[in-house]
Amino acid sequence: MRILYQLLVVLFLMLQGTAGQPFRPSPGSTCWYQNGQCTPGICRRPYYWIGTCENGYSCCRRYVEA
């Protein structure tokens, strides 16, 4: 019974490896993860540039006063 369990685990791991690719977030979604928004051109006040979006737009985030 123990061998059957180990064979099932190995089979499951092999299927996991061949079925999918590891998740990598796309460059456009990283702007959303950083609480930014994609805007064409440069970032204007009260926003500042934090990166580039997938479509080539600027990823801008609003200044936060502490």
Side-chain angles (χ1 to χ4, degrees):
M1 189 68 174
R2 184 175 177 175
I3 293 174
L4 179 61
Y5 172 75
Q6 289 179 350
L7 287 175
L8 286 175
V9 169
V10 170
L11 178 64
F12 178 73
L13 291 174
M14 287 175 50
L15 289 175
Q16 285 269 333
T18 60
Q21 298 175 350
F23 173 74
R24 282 181 261 149
S26 65
S29 64
T30 57
C31 184
W32 182 76
Y33 288 132
Q34 296 176 6
N35 294 327
Q37 62 183 13
C38 296
T39 57
I42 61 173
C43 301
R44 308 268 183 207
R45 283 188 181 167
Y47 296 94
Y48 64 99
W49 185 83
I50 57 173
T52 306
C53 296
E54 186 177 87
N55 55 4
Y57 288 177
S58 297
C59 181
C60 304
R61 186 182 345 180
R62 188 178 186 100
Y63 280 111
V64 177
E65 296 286 328

